[in-house]
Amino acid sequence: MLLAQEYSAFKRELDQKGIIFSFSGYLSEGILYSLGEALREKMALEEMDGPTVRRVFSVFVEQMQNIVRYSAEKLARDDPQPIELSAGMVTIGTENDTFFIVCGNAVHNRDVPRLRERLEFLKGLDREGIKTHYREQLRENPEEGSRGATIGLIEIARRASQPIEYDFAEMDGGKSFFCLKVRV
């Protein structure tokens, strides 16, 4: 297949799936900021309502921060200037007049049970339960090994219009590919 035909077919497939924004590769906080600005500008150009823009943007940022902080696929250098890049992907699209944000990245298999437990717990809560859990977690100390305030997944669940979806696929090297889909 010719190059233009191959990538044109790929673009058509993304369009047919309602994908409006997609990124796959290595991320840093700076790249997250730039992608976030591009997403915000795209939504502004499409004149989306403010609350929807804020929810989509918030979920996007939380998911991208999870990739930056917790991806099991990283490139790093300490000398002469520290650099750390984390591998992952994000896709934003629409289906049935609802936005969805899908993020994926490799995680260590040892982290899968705890992550699955947290996600199942959140899926089992109604709106009021999520609010209550959020307030409780704000008063708690972050979990050991956390690179944030341990409320990112709760923030995502708070903004979701439907229960979050997730899945894990085993990879080589003691890792699994974690995928999280949120509808807003």
Side-chain angles (χ1 to χ4, degrees), residues 23-37 60-71 73-77 81-90 147:
F23 175 86
S24 178
Y26 284 91
L27 298 166
S28 65
E29 291 287 341
I31 294 168
L32 165 59
Y33 177 80
S34 296
L35 292 174
E37 284 301 304
F60 165 79
V61 168
E62 288 291 343
Q63 287 188 320
M64 294 294 278
Q65 285 177 336
N66 283 339
I67 291 170
V68 169
R69 293 175 180 158
Y70 301 112
S71 177
E73 293 181 323
K74 292 187 183 287
L75 297 175
R77 179 186 79 193
Q81 183 177 352
I83 297 173
E84 183 176 272
L85 299 173
S86 302
M89 53 81 53
V90 61
R147 294 178 70 185

Side-chain angles (χ1 to χ4, degrees), residues 6 16 76 94 121 134 157:
E6 180 180 349
Q16 289 169 353
T94 58
F121 177 77
Y134 176 76

Side-chain angles (χ1 to χ4, degrees), residues 129-138 151 154-155 158:
I130 292 171
K131 284 182 188 178
T132 300
H133 183 59
Y134 176 76
R135 285 191 297 270
E136 290 169 356
Q137 286 302 119
L138 286 176
I151 60 170
I154 304 167
E155 286 281 358
R158 288 179 62 211

Side-chain angles (χ1 to χ4, degrees), residues 66-181:
N66 283 339
I67 291 170
V68 169
R69 293 175 180 158
Y70 301 112
S71 177
E73 293 181 323
K74 292 187 183 287
L75 297 175
R77 179 186 79 193
D78 288 329
D79 238 7
Q81 183 177 352
I83 297 173
E84 183 176 272
L85 299 173
S86 302
M89 53 81 53
V90 61
T91 302
I92 300 172
T94 58
E95 57 188 13
N96 304 323
D97 297 324
T98 302
F99 280 93
F100 65 86
I101 304 101
V102 177
C103 278
N105 60 278
V107 295
H108 294 286
N109 286 342
R110 68 178 177 267
D111 297 330
V112 170
R114 188 190 73 200
L115 185 53
R116 185 185 312 270
E117 180 181 316
R118 290 180 72 197
L119 290 164
E120 281 301 314
F121 177 77
L122 290 171
K123 279 181 70 171
L125 296 176
D126 61 10
R127 283 256 170 256
E128 195 55 42
I130 292 171
K131 284 182 188 178
T132 300
H133 183 59
Y134 176 76
R135 285 191 297 270
E136 290 169 356
Q137 286 302 119
L138 286 176
R139 290 190 290 265
E140 297 291 322
N141 289 325
E143 289 179 7
E144 186 176 325
S146 173
R147 294 178 70 185
T150 316
I151 60 170
L153 290 176
I154 304 167
E155 286 281 358
I156 290 168
R158 288 179 62 211
R159 286 168 174 72
S161 62
Q162 299 174 28
I164 53 179
E165 293 178 42
Y166 70 92
D167 197 13
F168 297 92
E170 279 205 39
M171 302 167 57
D172 292 335
K175 298 175 187 169
S176 290
F177 189 78
F178 167 57
C179 193
L180 180 67
K181 183 174 186 176

